[in-house]
Amino acid sequence: MAAIGDASYIKKLNRSLIISKIIEHGLISRAEISKITKLTRATISVQAADLLEEELIVESHQEYNNVGRKPIMLSINRKAGFVLGIDLDYRSITFTFSDLMGQPVHTDTVEIQNSNYDEILELLIKQIKDYQNECSSSHFGIVGIGIGIHGIVTKDEVINFVPSHQWKNKDLKADLEKVFNLDIHIDNNANLSAFAEKVFNHHKSENLLSISMSSGIGLGVLIKGEPLKGYHGYAGEMGHMIIVPDGKPCKCGNFGCWELYASEESFLKQLAEKYHKPNLSLEDVQNLLIAKDPIVCDQMELFIKDISIGLNNIINLLNPETLVLNSELLKMYPGVENNLKSHLTSSVSHFNELLISDLGKYACVMGACALAIKNFFEVPELNLTIENKEFDEIIESQWTKMSV
């Protein structure tokens, strides 16, 4: 029995390895897979036959100018199924539908007007059903769902606490699984953003930090390519690191938390107060920056200084190879990376590169899609490439207002 079990396990490992190489290369021949993986051609032929029968991969002939037989190339049947990524933020929920190679197909953004858990759950159920109907003609339909939460998520994927909604101990995964027979996974938004950076942009970076800066501040950490989650899964809540003792009161219960000074939401709130307006949008800020308005320029410099205080602490603590800031606001400010680096003057602060994410506001939802793909294919690592990084050009965003 042990031998049968071992053989089954080895076959599963080989399948995973072959799929991962097909994904990584996009188009690859059986001979090339054998050369890269050191697996025998017989093993690869058997596995490829199974994958073809399951309609997970397809064959095609590559352009070939030499004399002889054209090589038969293998690739993922990207339209055989789809995944759904969900970014559940404070005022909105973003749904991104992608194919099995991580290429976004469609995105909807739904405005939410209150924090009632049951009503938001019903909204999620309705949207998921709509997406199921949309891909019902594909071979596998929806193969998995990933959900990003802007709060604390345990290792058991239970929502422990969401400060903006004041949710405590909500088992969203279980509530959705009562309705859907789907593979559903939930994680913190910053962890998913870090995963997206690794999967889509920084394939070789083993020590990567991603800082999400929209409604609050979250830190996603990859050490040796693996997520750092802490004892119960609570690691990365650097937005609640105190940078101003006895500072502004935070919903977490402390005073002077970093996200009260260095998140996009805090910036917009402070700027609106200075202009004596009820609210300002990122588009408003961009127009003011283009006009070189002195108030917004001064506020940006203060914002960058507050960001750098937290960055200095994080760099000293974790010594990252790659440090990615996920902020639509920072992307608007020319030369911001060098500006930030100019504030990181400590002789003990070491990192390889600091940059602003080109995934932008889609980092979390694309990380959720990537997580669903990884789980579906059961591969140890995932390297994907989005054909066009200008997300606003490849995604038809729809802003739907609902009374929730």
Side-chain angles (χ1 to χ4, degrees):
M1 292 297 292
I4 294 172
D6 290 344
S8 176
Y9 177 66
I10 291 169
K11 184 177 181 180
K12 185 177 180 180
L13 286 180
N14 290 341
R15 175 189 171 97
S16 172
L17 181 58
I18 291 167
I19 290 174
S20 68
K21 293 307 172 187
I22 296 173
I23 292 172
E24 182 180 350
H25 291 268
L27 276 172
I28 190 169
S29 68
R30 291 168 174 82
E32 288 174 305
I33 296 173
S34 177
K35 184 178 178 180
I36 293 168
T37 63
K38 309 302 182 187
L39 296 174
T40 67
R41 293 198 180 192
T43 296
I44 292 165
S45 292
V46 170
Q47 291 277 3
D50 289 344
L51 293 170
L52 285 164
E53 186 177 354
E54 293 171 40
E55 297 187 30
L56 279 174
I57 64 172
V58 293
E59 291 181 326
S60 61
H61 287 280
Q62 190 178 36
E63 288 297 324
Y64 191 65
N65 296 322
N66 296 332
V67 176
R69 189 176 176 183
K70 291 182 180 180
I72 297 174
M73 310 301 286
L74 304 178
S75 61
I76 296 296
N77 184 5
R78 60 195 309 156
K79 300 295 185 183
F82 298 88
V83 296
L84 180 61
I86 301 173
D87 179 3
L88 204 168
D89 204 348
Y90 176 33
R91 294 189 177 90
S92 64
I93 307 174
T94 301
F95 300 83
T96 291
F97 200 45
S98 93
D99 65 26
L100 295 181
M101 287 293 284
Q103 186 68 19
V105 175
H106 185 79
T107 284
D108 291 301
T109 301
V110 179
E111 185 183 73
I112 51 178
Q113 297 176 351
N114 68 52
S115 294
N116 184 286
Y117 174 79
D118 291 331
E119 291 183 29
I120 291 175
L121 174 62
E122 286 304 311
L123 186 152
L124 290 172
I125 290 169
K126 179 187 180 302
Q127 290 291 113
I128 292 169
K129 286 181 178 178
D130 288 346
Y131 277 110
Q132 278 188 314
N133 291 333
E134 191 172 321
C135 68
S136 59
S137 60
S138 67
H139 184 69
F140 291 102
I142 292 180
V143 301
I145 298 174
I147 304 176
I149 301 296
H150 292 242
I152 299 172
V153 179
T154 71
K155 285 184 176 179
D156 296 327
E157 300 182 69
V158 173
I159 300 171
N160 175 263
F161 182 52
V162 179
S164 57
H165 288 301
Q166 289 295 298
W167 290 351
K168 295 180 180 178
N169 300 317
K170 298 294 185 182
D171 198 346
L172 178 61
K173 177 182 169 78
D175 289 338
L176 289 173
E177 286 176 342
K178 291 174 186 174
V179 181
F180 301 102
N181 183 26
L182 291 169
D183 187 38
I184 299 171
H185 291 278
I186 296 178
D187 205 341
N188 170 269
N189 71 299
N191 291 337
L192 290 176
S193 294
F195 186 57
E197 295 296 341
K198 169 74 171 170
V199 169
F200 294 106
N201 286 334
H202 305 283
H203 299 159
K204 303 299 182 184
S205 182
E206 292 297 302
N207 294 280
L208 181 147
L209 307 183
S210 173
I211 300 176
S212 301
M213 304 177 64
S214 56
S215 56
I217 292 183
L219 177 68
V221 183
L222 297 177
I223 302 294
K224 294 184 178 179
E226 295 297 322
L228 177 68
K229 295 196 174 184
Y231 179 44
H232 285 300
Y234 301 169
E237 290 298 320
M238 297 301 288
H240 298 285
M241 165 178 59
I242 295 170
I243 67 164
V244 180
D246 301 318
K248 300 174 186 176
C250 182
K251 289 180 180 179
C252 78
N254 282 328
F255 295 83
C257 291
W258 189 30
E259 68 177 37
L260 299 177
Y261 302 86
S263 68
E264 290 181 358
E265 183 167 301
S266 68
F267 177 90
L268 292 172
K269 183 178 179 182
Q270 291 168 42
L271 197 61
E273 289 173 357
K274 290 191 175 185
Y275 283 103
H276 305 291
K277 292 186 176 182
N279 53 66
L280 286 171
S281 67
L282 287 173
E283 186 178 356
D284 293 329
V285 174
Q286 186 169 30
N287 291 332
L288 289 166
L289 285 171
I290 291 170
K292 296 184 179 179
D293 181 273
I295 295 177
V296 74
C297 289
D298 288 346
Q299 188 68 28
M300 278 296 294
E301 289 299 321
L302 180 60
F303 182 58
I304 287 169
K305 187 177 291 185
D306 286 334
I307 292 170
S308 66
I309 293 171
L311 287 182
N312 189 73
N313 294 338
I314 293 168
I315 291 165
N316 287 340
L317 182 67
L318 294 170
N319 181 215
E321 175 186 357
T322 305
L323 183 57
V324 185
L325 302 183
N326 195 289
S327 169
E328 293 294 297
L329 179 59
L330 292 180
K331 284 171 73 173
M332 300 174 184
Y333 204 52
V336 69
E337 284 133 328
N338 289 332
N339 195 332
L340 282 164
K341 290 174 187 176
S342 72
H343 291 280
L344 304 174
T345 57
S346 170
S347 60
V348 298
S349 292
H350 297 286
F351 58 94
N352 183 47
E353 59 178 346
L354 183 153
L355 57 145
I356 310 302
S357 172
D358 63 6
L359 292 173
K361 59 188 176 184
Y362 299 110
C364 170
V365 77
M366 289 309 299
C369 287
L371 178 64
I373 293 169
K374 182 176 184 288
N375 288 325
F376 173 65
F377 284 122
E378 298 182 294
V379 292
E381 63 178 359
L382 193 63
N383 292 331
L384 299 172
T385 301
I386 297 174
E387 294 165 6
N388 185 341
K389 292 294 176 62
E390 296 297 326
F391 281 85
D392 290 329
E393 294 179 10
I394 61 173
I395 293 178
E396 181 187 354
S397 292
Q398 296 182 355
W399 183 265
T400 307
K401 293 189 176 182
M402 296 189 177
S403 299
V404 176

